[in-house]
Short mmCIF file of all heavy atoms in Angstrom, two decimals:
data_model
loop_
_atom_site.label_atom_id
_atom_site.label_comp_id
_atom_site.label_asym_id
_atom_site.label_seq_id
_atom_site.Cartn_x
_atom_site.Cartn_y
_atom_site.Cartn_z
N MET A 1 74.22 31.10 20.86
CA MET A 1 73.94 32.34 21.57
C MET A 1 74.97 33.40 21.13
O MET A 1 76.17 33.17 21.18
CB MET A 1 74.01 32.10 23.07
CG MET A 1 73.86 33.36 23.88
SD MET A 1 73.94 32.97 25.64
CE MET A 1 72.76 34.13 26.24
N ALA A 2 74.48 34.55 20.72
CA ALA A 2 75.35 35.63 20.26
C ALA A 2 75.97 36.37 21.44
O ALA A 2 75.38 36.46 22.50
CB ALA A 2 74.55 36.61 19.41
N ASP A 3 77.17 36.89 21.21
CA ASP A 3 77.76 37.74 22.23
C ASP A 3 77.25 39.17 22.02
O ASP A 3 76.62 39.48 21.00
CB ASP A 3 79.29 37.68 22.17
CG ASP A 3 79.83 38.22 20.87
OD1 ASP A 3 79.97 39.45 20.75
OD2 ASP A 3 80.13 37.41 19.96
N ALA A 4 77.51 40.04 22.98
CA ALA A 4 76.99 41.41 22.95
C ALA A 4 77.44 42.16 21.71
O ALA A 4 76.65 42.91 21.10
CB ALA A 4 77.41 42.16 24.22
N TYR A 5 78.68 42.00 21.30
CA TYR A 5 79.21 42.75 20.16
C TYR A 5 78.63 42.25 18.84
O TYR A 5 78.34 43.04 17.95
CB TYR A 5 80.74 42.74 20.17
CG TYR A 5 81.24 43.55 21.32
CD1 TYR A 5 81.50 42.96 22.55
CD2 TYR A 5 81.39 44.93 21.21
CE1 TYR A 5 81.92 43.73 23.63
CE2 TYR A 5 81.81 45.70 22.28
CZ TYR A 5 82.06 45.09 23.49
OH TYR A 5 82.45 45.85 24.56
N SER A 6 78.45 40.94 18.71
CA SER A 6 77.83 40.39 17.50
C SER A 6 76.38 40.85 17.39
O SER A 6 75.91 41.21 16.30
CB SER A 6 77.88 38.86 17.52
OG SER A 6 79.21 38.41 17.50
N LEU A 7 75.67 40.84 18.50
CA LEU A 7 74.28 41.28 18.51
C LEU A 7 74.18 42.77 18.17
O LEU A 7 73.34 43.18 17.37
CB LEU A 7 73.64 40.99 19.87
CG LEU A 7 72.14 41.28 19.99
CD1 LEU A 7 71.34 40.49 18.97
CD2 LEU A 7 71.67 40.97 21.40
N ALA A 8 75.07 43.58 18.76
CA ALA A 8 75.07 45.02 18.46
C ALA A 8 75.37 45.26 16.99
O ALA A 8 74.72 46.11 16.35
CB ALA A 8 76.08 45.73 19.35
N LYS A 9 76.33 44.53 16.43
CA LYS A 9 76.68 44.68 15.01
C LYS A 9 75.50 44.33 14.13
O LYS A 9 75.19 45.03 13.17
CB LYS A 9 77.89 43.80 14.69
CG LYS A 9 78.27 43.74 13.23
CD LYS A 9 78.94 45.02 12.76
CE LYS A 9 79.53 44.82 11.37
NZ LYS A 9 78.96 45.71 10.38
N LYS A 10 74.81 43.25 14.46
CA LYS A 10 73.63 42.82 13.69
C LYS A 10 72.57 43.91 13.72
O LYS A 10 72.01 44.29 12.68
CB LYS A 10 73.07 41.52 14.26
CG LYS A 10 71.82 41.04 13.59
CD LYS A 10 71.29 39.77 14.25
CE LYS A 10 70.00 39.36 13.58
NZ LYS A 10 68.90 39.16 14.50
N HIS A 11 72.28 44.44 14.89
CA HIS A 11 71.26 45.48 15.02
C HIS A 11 71.69 46.76 14.30
O HIS A 11 70.85 47.41 13.66
CB HIS A 11 70.98 45.77 16.49
CG HIS A 11 70.22 44.67 17.16
ND1 HIS A 11 69.75 44.76 18.45
CD2 HIS A 11 69.85 43.44 16.74
CE1 HIS A 11 69.13 43.65 18.78
NE2 HIS A 11 69.19 42.84 17.76
N LEU A 12 72.96 47.10 14.40
CA LEU A 12 73.46 48.29 13.72
C LEU A 12 73.33 48.14 12.21
O LEU A 12 72.86 49.05 11.52
CB LEU A 12 74.91 48.56 14.11
CG LEU A 12 75.54 49.79 13.46
CD1 LEU A 12 74.78 51.06 13.82
CD2 LEU A 12 77.00 49.90 13.88
N ASP A 13 73.74 47.00 11.68
CA ASP A 13 73.62 46.75 10.24
C ASP A 13 72.17 46.86 9.78
O ASP A 13 71.87 47.47 8.74
CB ASP A 13 74.18 45.37 9.87
CG ASP A 13 75.68 45.28 10.00
OD1 ASP A 13 76.36 46.33 10.10
OD2 ASP A 13 76.19 44.14 10.02
N GLU A 14 71.26 46.30 10.56
CA GLU A 14 69.84 46.36 10.22
C GLU A 14 69.33 47.80 10.30
O GLU A 14 68.55 48.24 9.44
CB GLU A 14 69.03 45.46 11.16
CG GLU A 14 69.28 43.99 10.94
CD GLU A 14 68.68 43.10 12.02
OE1 GLU A 14 68.16 43.61 13.04
OE2 GLU A 14 68.76 41.86 11.86
N GLY A 15 69.75 48.55 11.31
CA GLY A 15 69.33 49.94 11.45
C GLY A 15 69.86 50.82 10.34
O GLY A 15 69.14 51.67 9.80
N VAL A 16 71.12 50.62 9.96
CA VAL A 16 71.72 51.39 8.86
C VAL A 16 70.97 51.10 7.56
O VAL A 16 70.67 52.02 6.78
CB VAL A 16 73.23 51.10 8.73
CG1 VAL A 16 73.79 51.64 7.44
CG2 VAL A 16 73.97 51.67 9.93
N ALA A 17 70.66 49.84 7.32
CA ALA A 17 69.92 49.48 6.11
C ALA A 17 68.52 50.10 6.12
O ALA A 17 68.07 50.62 5.09
CB ALA A 17 69.83 47.96 5.98
N ALA A 18 67.86 50.08 7.26
CA ALA A 18 66.52 50.67 7.36
C ALA A 18 66.58 52.19 7.16
O ALA A 18 65.71 52.76 6.48
CB ALA A 18 65.89 50.33 8.71
N ALA A 19 67.59 52.82 7.73
CA ALA A 19 67.75 54.27 7.55
C ALA A 19 67.99 54.60 6.08
O ALA A 19 67.40 55.55 5.54
CB ALA A 19 68.90 54.79 8.42
N ALA A 20 68.84 53.83 5.42
CA ALA A 20 69.11 54.06 4.00
C ALA A 20 67.85 53.89 3.18
O ALA A 20 67.59 54.67 2.25
CB ALA A 20 70.21 53.10 3.51
N ALA A 21 67.04 52.89 3.51
CA ALA A 21 65.78 52.65 2.79
C ALA A 21 64.81 53.82 2.96
O ALA A 21 63.97 54.06 2.09
CB ALA A 21 65.14 51.35 3.27
N GLU A 22 64.94 54.55 4.06
CA GLU A 22 64.09 55.72 4.33
C GLU A 22 64.76 57.03 3.92
O GLU A 22 64.28 58.10 4.26
CB GLU A 22 63.74 55.76 5.82
CG GLU A 22 62.93 54.59 6.32
CD GLU A 22 61.50 54.59 5.80
OE1 GLU A 22 60.96 55.68 5.51
OE2 GLU A 22 60.93 53.49 5.67
N ASN A 23 65.90 56.92 3.23
CA ASN A 23 66.68 58.09 2.79
C ASN A 23 67.11 58.98 3.95
O ASN A 23 67.13 60.21 3.84
CB ASN A 23 65.91 58.91 1.75
CG ASN A 23 65.71 58.13 0.47
OD1 ASN A 23 66.64 57.50 -0.03
ND2 ASN A 23 64.49 58.17 -0.05
N ILE A 24 67.45 58.36 5.06
CA ILE A 24 67.96 59.09 6.23
C ILE A 24 69.48 59.10 6.15
O ILE A 24 70.12 58.05 5.99
CB ILE A 24 67.48 58.42 7.54
CG1 ILE A 24 65.95 58.50 7.63
CG2 ILE A 24 68.14 59.07 8.75
CD1 ILE A 24 65.35 57.71 8.76
N ASP A 25 70.05 60.28 6.25
CA ASP A 25 71.50 60.46 6.19
C ASP A 25 72.19 59.63 7.27
O ASP A 25 71.75 59.61 8.43
CB ASP A 25 71.82 61.95 6.38
CG ASP A 25 73.31 62.21 6.42
OD1 ASP A 25 73.93 62.20 5.35
OD2 ASP A 25 73.83 62.44 7.54
N LEU A 26 73.27 58.93 6.89
CA LEU A 26 73.99 58.07 7.83
C LEU A 26 74.50 58.84 9.04
O LEU A 26 74.40 58.35 10.17
CB LEU A 26 75.16 57.37 7.13
CG LEU A 26 76.03 56.48 8.01
CD1 LEU A 26 75.21 55.33 8.61
CD2 LEU A 26 77.21 55.94 7.23
N ASN A 27 75.02 60.04 8.84
CA ASN A 27 75.52 60.82 9.97
C ASN A 27 74.39 61.23 10.92
O ASN A 27 74.56 61.20 12.14
CB ASN A 27 76.29 62.04 9.48
CG ASN A 27 77.61 61.66 8.84
OD1 ASN A 27 78.33 60.80 9.33
ND2 ASN A 27 77.91 62.27 7.71
N LYS A 28 73.26 61.60 10.36
CA LYS A 28 72.11 61.95 11.22
C LYS A 28 71.61 60.73 11.98
O LYS A 28 71.26 60.81 13.16
CB LYS A 28 70.98 62.55 10.38
CG LYS A 28 71.31 63.93 9.88
CD LYS A 28 70.17 64.51 9.07
CE LYS A 28 70.57 65.89 8.56
NZ LYS A 28 69.52 66.47 7.72
N TYR A 29 71.57 59.59 11.30
CA TYR A 29 71.15 58.36 11.96
C TYR A 29 72.12 57.98 13.08
O TYR A 29 71.71 57.64 14.19
CB TYR A 29 71.04 57.22 10.94
CG TYR A 29 70.63 55.91 11.55
CD1 TYR A 29 69.35 55.74 12.08
CD2 TYR A 29 71.50 54.84 11.62
CE1 TYR A 29 68.96 54.55 12.66
CE2 TYR A 29 71.12 53.64 12.18
CZ TYR A 29 69.86 53.49 12.70
OH TYR A 29 69.48 52.31 13.28
N GLY A 30 73.41 58.08 12.80
CA GLY A 30 74.42 57.79 13.81
C GLY A 30 74.30 58.70 15.01
O GLY A 30 74.40 58.25 16.16
N GLN A 31 74.09 59.99 14.75
CA GLN A 31 73.93 60.95 15.85
C GLN A 31 72.72 60.58 16.70
O GLN A 31 72.77 60.63 17.93
CB GLN A 31 73.78 62.35 15.28
CG GLN A 31 73.70 63.42 16.35
CD GLN A 31 73.56 64.82 15.75
OE1 GLN A 31 73.08 64.98 14.63
NE2 GLN A 31 73.98 65.80 16.51
N ALA A 32 71.64 60.20 16.05
CA ALA A 32 70.43 59.80 16.78
C ALA A 32 70.68 58.55 17.62
O ALA A 32 70.22 58.46 18.77
CB ALA A 32 69.28 59.57 15.81
N LEU A 33 71.43 57.59 17.07
CA LEU A 33 71.75 56.38 17.83
C LEU A 33 72.56 56.70 19.08
O LEU A 33 72.27 56.20 20.17
CB LEU A 33 72.55 55.40 16.96
CG LEU A 33 71.78 54.59 15.95
CD1 LEU A 33 72.75 53.79 15.09
CD2 LEU A 33 70.80 53.66 16.63
N VAL A 34 73.59 57.54 18.91
CA VAL A 34 74.43 57.92 20.05
C VAL A 34 73.57 58.63 21.10
O VAL A 34 73.66 58.33 22.30
CB VAL A 34 75.61 58.80 19.59
CG1 VAL A 34 76.33 59.40 20.78
CG2 VAL A 34 76.57 57.99 18.74
N TRP A 35 72.75 59.56 20.66
CA TRP A 35 71.89 60.31 21.58
C TRP A 35 70.99 59.37 22.37
O TRP A 35 70.89 59.47 23.60
CB TRP A 35 71.05 61.32 20.80
CG TRP A 35 70.24 62.20 21.68
CD1 TRP A 35 69.00 61.93 22.20
CD2 TRP A 35 70.61 63.48 22.20
NE1 TRP A 35 68.57 62.97 22.98
CE2 TRP A 35 69.54 63.93 23.00
CE3 TRP A 35 71.73 64.28 22.05
CZ2 TRP A 35 69.58 65.16 23.65
CZ3 TRP A 35 71.74 65.50 22.70
CH2 TRP A 35 70.69 65.92 23.49
N LYS A 36 70.32 58.45 21.66
CA LYS A 36 69.39 57.54 22.34
C LYS A 36 70.12 56.60 23.29
O LYS A 36 69.62 56.30 24.38
CB LYS A 36 68.58 56.74 21.31
CG LYS A 36 67.67 57.59 20.42
CD LYS A 36 66.78 58.54 21.19
CE LYS A 36 65.67 57.89 21.91
NZ LYS A 36 64.77 58.81 22.64
N LEU A 37 71.32 56.15 22.93
CA LEU A 37 72.09 55.29 23.81
C LEU A 37 72.50 56.03 25.07
O LEU A 37 72.38 55.51 26.19
CB LEU A 37 73.34 54.75 23.09
CG LEU A 37 74.23 53.85 23.93
CD1 LEU A 37 73.48 52.62 24.43
CD2 LEU A 37 75.45 53.44 23.12
N LEU A 38 72.97 57.27 24.91
CA LEU A 38 73.35 58.06 26.08
C LEU A 38 72.15 58.34 26.98
O LEU A 38 72.27 58.28 28.22
CB LEU A 38 74.03 59.37 25.65
CG LEU A 38 75.36 59.19 24.93
CD1 LEU A 38 75.89 60.54 24.47
CD2 LEU A 38 76.37 58.45 25.78
N GLU A 39 70.99 58.61 26.39
CA GLU A 39 69.77 58.79 27.19
C GLU A 39 69.48 57.52 28.00
O GLU A 39 69.13 57.59 29.17
CB GLU A 39 68.56 59.07 26.28
CG GLU A 39 68.42 60.48 25.83
CD GLU A 39 67.16 60.68 25.02
OE1 GLU A 39 66.59 59.71 24.47
OE2 GLU A 39 66.74 61.84 24.90
N LEU A 40 69.62 56.36 27.35
CA LEU A 40 69.36 55.09 28.02
C LEU A 40 70.32 54.87 29.18
O LEU A 40 69.92 54.44 30.27
CB LEU A 40 69.47 53.94 27.02
CG LEU A 40 69.15 52.55 27.53
CD1 LEU A 40 67.70 52.44 27.98
CD2 LEU A 40 69.46 51.53 26.45
N TYR A 41 71.61 55.18 28.95
CA TYR A 41 72.60 55.06 30.03
C TYR A 41 72.19 55.91 31.23
O TYR A 41 72.21 55.44 32.36
CB TYR A 41 73.97 55.52 29.55
CG TYR A 41 74.79 54.53 28.76
CD1 TYR A 41 75.95 54.95 28.13
CD2 TYR A 41 74.45 53.19 28.65
CE1 TYR A 41 76.75 54.07 27.42
CE2 TYR A 41 75.23 52.31 27.93
CZ TYR A 41 76.38 52.76 27.33
OH TYR A 41 77.17 51.89 26.63
N VAL A 42 71.84 57.17 30.97
CA VAL A 42 71.47 58.08 32.06
C VAL A 42 70.21 57.58 32.77
O VAL A 42 70.15 57.56 34.00
CB VAL A 42 71.30 59.52 31.53
CG1 VAL A 42 70.70 60.43 32.60
CG2 VAL A 42 72.64 60.07 31.04
N GLU A 43 69.22 57.15 32.00
CA GLU A 43 67.97 56.65 32.58
C GLU A 43 68.22 55.43 33.46
O GLU A 43 67.45 55.18 34.39
CB GLU A 43 66.98 56.28 31.48
CG GLU A 43 66.40 57.48 30.75
CD GLU A 43 65.62 57.10 29.50
OE1 GLU A 43 65.46 55.88 29.22
OE2 GLU A 43 65.20 58.03 28.79
N ASN A 44 69.26 54.69 33.17
CA ASN A 44 69.57 53.49 33.95
C ASN A 44 70.64 53.72 35.00
O ASN A 44 71.24 52.78 35.52
CB ASN A 44 69.96 52.34 33.00
CG ASN A 44 68.75 51.73 32.35
OD1 ASN A 44 68.09 50.89 32.94
ND2 ASN A 44 68.42 52.20 31.16
N GLY A 45 70.88 55.01 35.32
CA GLY A 45 71.71 55.34 36.47
C GLY A 45 73.20 55.51 36.21
O GLY A 45 73.96 55.65 37.16
N ARG A 46 73.64 55.51 34.94
CA ARG A 46 75.06 55.72 34.68
C ARG A 46 75.42 57.16 34.99
O ARG A 46 74.71 58.09 34.64
CB ARG A 46 75.42 55.42 33.21
CG ARG A 46 75.24 54.00 32.80
CD ARG A 46 76.45 53.11 32.76
NE ARG A 46 77.74 53.60 32.42
CZ ARG A 46 78.40 53.28 31.32
NH1 ARG A 46 77.85 52.54 30.39
NH2 ARG A 46 79.63 53.72 31.15
N ASP A 47 76.53 57.35 35.63
CA ASP A 47 77.05 58.67 35.97
C ASP A 47 77.62 59.34 34.72
O ASP A 47 78.29 58.69 33.92
CB ASP A 47 78.14 58.47 37.03
CG ASP A 47 78.78 59.76 37.44
OD1 ASP A 47 78.17 60.46 38.27
OD2 ASP A 47 79.88 60.06 36.95
N LEU A 48 77.33 60.64 34.54
CA LEU A 48 77.81 61.35 33.36
C LEU A 48 79.33 61.33 33.24
O LEU A 48 79.87 61.21 32.14
CB LEU A 48 77.31 62.79 33.36
CG LEU A 48 75.80 62.97 33.15
CD1 LEU A 48 75.42 64.44 33.25
CD2 LEU A 48 75.35 62.37 31.84
N LYS A 49 80.02 61.41 34.36
CA LYS A 49 81.49 61.35 34.34
C LYS A 49 81.95 60.00 33.80
O LYS A 49 82.87 59.93 32.98
CB LYS A 49 82.05 61.60 35.74
CG LYS A 49 83.57 61.62 35.80
CD LYS A 49 84.04 61.92 37.23
CE LYS A 49 85.55 61.96 37.34
NZ LYS A 49 86.20 60.67 37.25
N ASP A 50 81.32 58.92 34.24
CA ASP A 50 81.67 57.59 33.79
C ASP A 50 81.38 57.44 32.29
O ASP A 50 82.19 56.87 31.55
CB ASP A 50 80.90 56.53 34.58
CG ASP A 50 81.24 55.12 34.13
OD1 ASP A 50 82.43 54.76 34.16
OD2 ASP A 50 80.31 54.39 33.75
N ILE A 51 80.24 57.94 31.83
CA ILE A 51 79.90 57.89 30.41
C ILE A 51 80.94 58.63 29.60
O ILE A 51 81.43 58.14 28.58
CB ILE A 51 78.49 58.46 30.16
CG1 ILE A 51 77.43 57.58 30.82
CG2 ILE A 51 78.23 58.59 28.66
CD1 ILE A 51 76.04 58.19 30.84
N ASN A 52 81.31 59.82 30.05
CA ASN A 52 82.32 60.63 29.36
C ASN A 52 83.65 59.89 29.28
O ASN A 52 84.31 59.87 28.23
CB ASN A 52 82.48 61.98 30.05
CG ASN A 52 83.39 62.89 29.30
OD1 ASN A 52 83.26 63.07 28.08
ND2 ASN A 52 84.34 63.49 30.00
N GLU A 53 84.07 59.28 30.38
CA GLU A 53 85.33 58.53 30.39
C GLU A 53 85.28 57.35 29.43
O GLU A 53 86.27 57.06 28.74
CB GLU A 53 85.65 58.06 31.81
CG GLU A 53 86.05 59.18 32.74
CD GLU A 53 86.20 58.75 34.19
OE1 GLU A 53 85.92 57.56 34.50
OE2 GLU A 53 86.59 59.60 35.01
N GLU A 54 84.15 56.66 29.36
CA GLU A 54 84.02 55.54 28.44
C GLU A 54 84.09 56.01 26.99
O GLU A 54 84.76 55.39 26.15
CB GLU A 54 82.71 54.79 28.68
CG GLU A 54 82.57 53.59 27.78
CD GLU A 54 81.42 52.69 28.15
OE1 GLU A 54 80.92 52.76 29.28
OE2 GLU A 54 81.03 51.90 27.28
N ILE A 55 83.42 57.11 26.69
CA ILE A 55 83.47 57.65 25.33
C ILE A 55 84.89 58.07 24.97
O ILE A 55 85.38 57.76 23.88
CB ILE A 55 82.48 58.83 25.18
CG1 ILE A 55 81.05 58.32 25.28
CG2 ILE A 55 82.72 59.57 23.85
CD1 ILE A 55 80.01 59.40 25.41
N GLN A 56 85.57 58.74 25.87
CA GLN A 56 86.94 59.17 25.62
C GLN A 56 87.85 57.96 25.41
O GLN A 56 88.68 57.95 24.50
CB GLN A 56 87.46 60.03 26.78
CG GLN A 56 88.80 60.66 26.52
CD GLN A 56 88.78 61.60 25.33
OE1 GLN A 56 87.87 62.39 25.16
NE2 GLN A 56 89.79 61.50 24.49
N TYR A 57 87.71 56.94 26.23
CA TYR A 57 88.50 55.72 26.09
C TYR A 57 88.25 55.09 24.72
O TYR A 57 89.20 54.66 24.03
CB TYR A 57 88.16 54.72 27.20
CG TYR A 57 88.86 53.41 27.03
CD1 TYR A 57 90.15 53.24 27.51
CD2 TYR A 57 88.25 52.34 26.38
CE1 TYR A 57 90.82 52.04 27.34
CE2 TYR A 57 88.91 51.14 26.21
CZ TYR A 57 90.19 50.99 26.69
OH TYR A 57 90.85 49.81 26.50
N THR A 58 87.00 55.03 24.32
CA THR A 58 86.65 54.44 23.03
C THR A 58 87.29 55.21 21.89
O THR A 58 87.89 54.62 20.99
CB THR A 58 85.12 54.39 22.86
OG1 THR A 58 84.56 53.65 23.94
CG2 THR A 58 84.72 53.75 21.55
N ILE A 59 87.18 56.53 21.92
CA ILE A 59 87.77 57.37 20.88
C ILE A 59 89.27 57.14 20.79
O ILE A 59 89.83 57.01 19.69
CB ILE A 59 87.43 58.85 21.13
CG1 ILE A 59 85.95 59.10 20.89
CG2 ILE A 59 88.30 59.77 20.26
CD1 ILE A 59 85.46 60.45 21.38
N GLU A 60 89.92 57.09 21.92
CA GLU A 60 91.37 56.93 21.95
C GLU A 60 91.83 55.57 21.43
O GLU A 60 92.97 55.41 21.01
CB GLU A 60 91.90 57.12 23.37
CG GLU A 60 91.80 58.55 23.85
CD GLU A 60 92.08 58.72 25.33
OE1 GLU A 60 92.33 57.70 26.02
OE2 GLU A 60 92.04 59.86 25.81
N ASN A 61 90.93 54.58 21.43
CA ASN A 61 91.31 53.23 21.04
C ASN A 61 90.69 52.77 19.73
O ASN A 61 90.78 51.59 19.39
CB ASN A 61 90.94 52.25 22.16
CG ASN A 61 91.86 52.41 23.34
OD1 ASN A 61 92.99 51.92 23.32
ND2 ASN A 61 91.44 53.16 24.34
N LEU A 62 90.10 53.67 18.97
CA LEU A 62 89.50 53.29 17.69
C LEU A 62 90.50 53.18 16.56
O LEU A 62 90.29 52.44 15.62
CB LEU A 62 88.42 54.31 17.29
CG LEU A 62 87.08 54.13 17.97
CD1 LEU A 62 86.15 55.27 17.56
CD2 LEU A 62 86.45 52.81 17.65
N GLY A 63 91.58 53.90 16.60
CA GLY A 63 92.52 53.94 15.48
C GLY A 63 93.50 52.80 15.48
O GLY A 63 93.37 51.80 16.18
N GLY A 64 94.49 52.96 14.64
CA GLY A 64 95.60 52.01 14.62
C GLY A 64 95.28 50.73 13.90
O GLY A 64 95.10 50.71 12.69
N ASP A 65 95.18 49.65 14.63
CA ASP A 65 95.04 48.32 14.03
C ASP A 65 93.62 47.98 13.61
O ASP A 65 93.36 46.90 13.11
CB ASP A 65 95.58 47.25 14.98
CG ASP A 65 94.86 47.21 16.31
OD1 ASP A 65 93.84 47.90 16.48
OD2 ASP A 65 95.33 46.48 17.21
N GLY A 66 92.67 48.90 13.83
CA GLY A 66 91.29 48.66 13.44
C GLY A 66 90.53 47.76 14.39
O GLY A 66 89.39 47.39 14.14
N ILE A 67 91.16 47.42 15.50
CA ILE A 67 90.51 46.55 16.49
C ILE A 67 90.23 47.38 17.74
O ILE A 67 91.09 48.10 18.24
CB ILE A 67 91.42 45.36 16.86
CG1 ILE A 67 91.69 44.51 15.62
CG2 ILE A 67 90.80 44.53 17.97
CD1 ILE A 67 92.75 43.45 15.82
N PHE A 68 89.00 47.29 18.23
CA PHE A 68 88.64 47.96 19.46
C PHE A 68 88.96 47.02 20.61
O PHE A 68 88.40 45.94 20.73
CB PHE A 68 87.16 48.32 19.46
CG PHE A 68 86.71 48.98 20.74
CD1 PHE A 68 87.32 50.12 21.20
CD2 PHE A 68 85.66 48.46 21.46
CE1 PHE A 68 86.91 50.72 22.39
CE2 PHE A 68 85.23 49.05 22.63
CZ PHE A 68 85.86 50.18 23.09
N HIS A 69 89.91 47.42 21.44
CA HIS A 69 90.36 46.60 22.56
C HIS A 69 89.54 46.92 23.79
O HIS A 69 89.69 47.99 24.38
CB HIS A 69 91.85 46.83 22.82
CG HIS A 69 92.67 46.53 21.61
ND1 HIS A 69 93.08 45.27 21.30
CD2 HIS A 69 93.14 47.33 20.63
CE1 HIS A 69 93.77 45.29 20.18
NE2 HIS A 69 93.82 46.53 19.75
N VAL A 70 88.67 46.02 24.19
CA VAL A 70 87.75 46.25 25.30
C VAL A 70 88.37 45.78 26.60
O VAL A 70 88.81 44.63 26.69
CB VAL A 70 86.42 45.52 25.06
CG1 VAL A 70 85.48 45.73 26.24
CG2 VAL A 70 85.78 45.98 23.78
N VAL A 71 88.41 46.65 27.59
CA VAL A 71 88.86 46.26 28.91
C VAL A 71 87.92 46.76 30.00
O VAL A 71 88.10 46.45 31.15
CB VAL A 71 90.30 46.77 29.21
CG1 VAL A 71 91.29 46.14 28.26
CG2 VAL A 71 90.38 48.27 29.16
N ARG A 72 86.89 47.54 29.62
CA ARG A 72 86.02 48.17 30.60
C ARG A 72 84.85 47.31 31.04
O ARG A 72 84.23 47.59 32.03
CB ARG A 72 85.49 49.49 30.05
CG ARG A 72 86.55 50.55 29.99
CD ARG A 72 85.93 51.85 29.57
NE ARG A 72 84.80 52.19 30.40
CZ ARG A 72 84.78 53.09 31.36
NH1 ARG A 72 85.85 53.78 31.62
NH2 ARG A 72 83.70 53.33 32.04
N ASN A 73 84.48 46.31 30.28
CA ASN A 73 83.28 45.55 30.63
C ASN A 73 83.55 44.83 31.90
O ASN A 73 83.10 44.24 32.59
CB ASN A 73 82.89 44.60 29.51
CG ASN A 73 82.39 45.37 28.32
OD1 ASN A 73 82.20 46.57 28.35
ND2 ASN A 73 82.21 44.66 27.23
#
């Protein structure tokens, strides 16, 4: 059984490959993914303030050692 991050990575890799096969720019594809994920969060009742805080936390923890340290789940 895959964990959430392994499954997300698998789907992301497949989506990036499919976008490349369709000549879709990686940045445009990424923007569309973020947009659709945020829409899904809102549709499922996530508060915009909470979403914003999670995004800010993620941005602040992306650099450095290359490891994303998860504490919010």
Side-chain angles (χ1 to χ4, degrees):
M1 175 180 216
D3 64 82
Y5 291 92
S6 297
L7 185 58
K9 174 74 170 119
K10 177 183 178 233
H11 288 186
L12 180 60
D13 290 345
E14 291 169 354
V16 168
E22 297 290 332
N23 295 315
I24 297 172
D25 176 76
L26 178 61
N27 290 317
K28 289 181 181 177
Y29 179 68
Q31 183 179 25
L33 282 174
V34 170
W35 185 274
K36 296 309 288 181
L37 179 59
L38 295 176
E39 279 183 340
L40 183 64
Y41 279 170
V42 171
E43 289 169 4
N44 282 277
R46 295 261 327 248
D47 179 80
L48 292 177
K49 182 178 180 288
D50 180 56
I51 294 170
N52 186 49
E53 289 173 356
E54 182 170 341
I55 292 169
Q56 188 61 44
Y57 175 84
T58 302
I59 290 168
E60 291 170 358
N61 288 281
L62 280 176
D65 60 8
I67 298 171
F68 178 56
H69 302 276
V70 179
V71 296
R72 289 185 52 104
N73 291 352

